[in-house]
Amino acid sequence: MKSNTGERERFQKPFSFLSHTKTSLPAALQAVFQNFQPEDFSSRLNQWQRMALANDQSAYDAAAAREDLMDVTDVLKKLVECWHIIFTKKFLKNSRSKTKLERLQRKILAQHGFVYTLTKDEQAKPMLFLRRFCRVFDRGYIETELLDMLDAVITYNGINENDKGNLVFFYQHLLFLVKLSYKINRAKPSHLKQTQHVQQ
């Protein structure tokens, strides 16, 4: 048996998605969209909504809660699309890619034929949608709704139970985009300009 002579550094985790979220905005968004494309978010959110609505032991046993869930799910899909547009314009803006992986990602993004649910105006000015999202929905409400959805999916017991892979991983990505929206929205105008230029 091999002995480990190196001293273990305690309370340290190996690489995780969350380690990327403390980097620059383009790098953080790149980490998100490397793992999930907008259609992945959309199909997962549809699955989550279905499971939550079919779970009679969840936060959605009242009609009003179910109605809110359906509306919030649609808005979250649009939120993801906004960030994808911002990321694509920022990422493809550079004329040169440093690595083979970056060149491949640029090629895939350029060929990506995703059909957005955002209107043409919303696609042209995604930051306006993000600001409106932050005005309409209280941050505490959205974060609680996401947690209720996760809980409903975890406790769901039905025919779609086999669709429970990577629940927390997906939740982390979705929550990150939500938190990022509020962070950008409350930033000072001078900081917003740095993010707004990705729309041009």
Side-chain angles (χ1 to χ4, degrees):
M1 188 164 127
K2 224 176 187 179
S3 64
N4 187 1
T5 55
E7 194 146 329
R8 178 172 79 90
E9 191 174 350
R10 298 201 62 209
F11 310 118
Q12 297 293 318
K13 287 283 187 187
F15 166 83
S16 75
F17 160 70
L18 293 176
S19 65
H20 269 309
T21 62
K22 293 174 183 157
T23 59
S24 68
L25 178 63
L29 291 175
Q30 183 177 1
V32 170
F33 292 115
Q34 272 180 343
N35 294 322
F36 297 101
Q37 289 294 313
E39 60 264 37
D40 299 323
F41 278 101
S42 183
S43 64
R44 289 277 183 125
L45 279 167
N46 285 339
Q47 287 173 354
W48 279 36
Q49 182 187 73
R50 184 181 177 88
M51 287 189 224
L53 293 175
N55 186 342
D56 57 4
Q57 299 294 318
S58 72
Y60 304 106
D61 50 3
R66 293 194 297 272
E67 185 175 29
D68 287 349
L69 170 67
M70 289 187 283
D71 289 340
V72 167
T73 303
D74 289 341
V75 172
L76 286 172
K77 290 177 201 172
K78 289 191 168 201
L79 182 93
V80 169
E81 290 175 15
C82 282
W83 280 117
H84 187 257
I85 288 169
I86 291 168
F87 165 65
T88 302
K89 290 183 178 180
K90 179 75 174 172
F91 192 64
L92 293 178
K93 182 183 100 162
N94 301 327
S95 57
R96 239 176 215 194
S97 298
K98 297 174 191 171
T99 66
K100 263 188 180 179
L101 176 61
E102 285 182 359
R103 285 194 293 275
L104 179 61
Q105 285 173 329
R106 282 167 50 93
K107 188 176 178 182
I108 290 168
L109 285 169
Q111 295 171 347
H112 198 53
F114 178 71
V115 178
Y116 291 102
T117 60
L118 292 166
T119 66
K120 295 282 185 193
D121 287 343
E122 289 168 340
Q123 289 180 46
K125 297 180 179 177
M127 285 301 296
L128 292 180
F129 178 89
L130 294 178
R131 286 200 206 104
R132 190 166 65 246
F133 169 85
C134 295
R135 280 196 310 271
V136 171
F137 299 102
D138 177 72
R139 178 176 173 168
Y141 163 75
I142 286 290
E143 291 185 7
T144 302
E145 193 74 88
L146 286 179
L147 205 52
D148 283 346
M149 287 171 71
L150 177 62
D151 179 66
V153 172
I154 289 170
T155 60
Y156 168 80
N157 184 14
I159 58 171
N160 292 312
E161 200 168 355
N162 59 344
D163 292 329
K164 289 188 177 180
N166 295 322
L167 294 181
V168 174
F169 191 57
F170 177 70
Y171 168 80
Q172 286 174 333
H173 286 67
L174 195 53
L175 183 62
F176 171 72
L177 291 179
V178 166
K179 286 183 172 181
L180 185 60
S181 301
Y182 288 101
K183 181 178 179 181
I184 293 297
N185 186 57
R186 74 169 184 265
K188 292 179 183 174
S190 60
H191 290 113
L192 277 175
K193 284 177 187 171
Q194 296 171 4
T195 306
Q196 285 174 330
H197 78 282
V198 301
Q199 298 174 32
Q200 299 162 358

